[in-house]
Amino acid sequence: MPSLCRTLCALTLVGLVAFPAIGAEAVSALPAAPVPIQALSAKKVFLSNLGADAEATVAFLNIANPDAAYNGFFAAMKSLGQYALTATPGESDLILEFRVTAAQLTSGSVIQRLTYLNLNVVDTKSHYVLWTLRSPLHVTKQIDEDVKVSVATLINSMKSLTTIPKAPQSGQ
């Protein structure tokens, strides 16, 4: 009986270890979900600053103004040249809601704060969030550089989301 118990335990352990790998392969093999047409066809966007939550404000304490991240994002969107930035939401095809969030993780006496730049892509007509993008922000004393890196990641995610892949040409 003890050998049967060991065998069952071993098989259970193998199953638990193998299952995530099997699940990961199945998920990565799925076709990409379609991007809403509003996100693909937008020419004009309104940038909305939803600010920073309480934890993110603490992360920026004594380093910089929490609006530094939005200012960096605004400058990057302006220089991107992919969209005309509008003065009001009503003039736009999309609203891009920018927000800085953070969560505090505590493990024993170690406190870690995970900070993120978040971008909701919102349809102007329906007011539905079509997509959400997120970029980690490592807040250090070099906040200007930290923001540049995180904003660049967010901008690249936005470009990837809104770029329509070109179909392969026949005969090649």
Side-chain angles (χ1 to χ4, degrees):
M1 197 62 144
S3 110
L4 177 62
C5 185
R6 270 184 265 165
T7 303
L8 287 174
C9 287
L11 288 173
T12 302
L13 183 61
V14 168
L16 289 173
V17 170
F19 183 72
I22 293 168
E25 289 174 13
V27 170
S28 66
L30 292 174
V35 176
I37 193 70
Q38 300 93 319
L40 296 172
S41 63
K43 302 287 183 238
K44 300 180 290 181
V45 298
F46 177 78
L47 303 183
S48 173
N49 184 3
L50 298 182
D53 68 9
E55 283 296 325
T57 301
V58 171
F60 278 86
L61 202 60
N62 300 322
I63 297 176
N65 179 336
D67 285 336
Y70 176 75
N71 294 338
F73 173 72
F74 185 91
M77 284 298 294
K78 195 172 183 181
S79 68
L80 182 63
Q82 184 174 350
Y83 304 103
L85 303 183
T86 65
T88 66
E91 302 173 71
S92 68
D93 302 318
L94 288 178
I95 298 169
L96 302 181
E97 295 179 336
F98 181 87
R99 182 163 177 83
V100 182
T101 60
Q104 181 174 303
L105 302 176
T106 305
S107 177
S109 63
V110 177
I111 298 173
Q112 183 181 15
R113 190 169 279 110
L114 304 175
T115 308
Y116 294 93
L117 302 184
N118 302 279
L119 188 66
N120 289 335
V121 179
V122 180
D123 179 43
T124 304
K125 292 178 183 146
S126 69
H127 305 289
Y128 282 105
V129 175
L130 303 173
W131 213 271
T132 299
L133 302 169
R134 175 179 271 193
S135 173
L137 172 61
H138 304 287
V139 180
T140 68
K141 291 191 188 302
Q142 289 81 34
I143 190 66
D144 291 338
E145 189 58 34
D146 301 334
V147 166
K148 283 181 190 174
V149 169
S150 189
V151 164
T153 301
L154 197 58
I155 294 290
N156 287 334
S157 295
M158 184 71 185
K159 284 196 283 190
S160 294
L161 177 70
T162 58
T163 301
I164 301 171
K166 294 184 179 174
Q169 295 181 4
S170 60
Q172 292 185 5

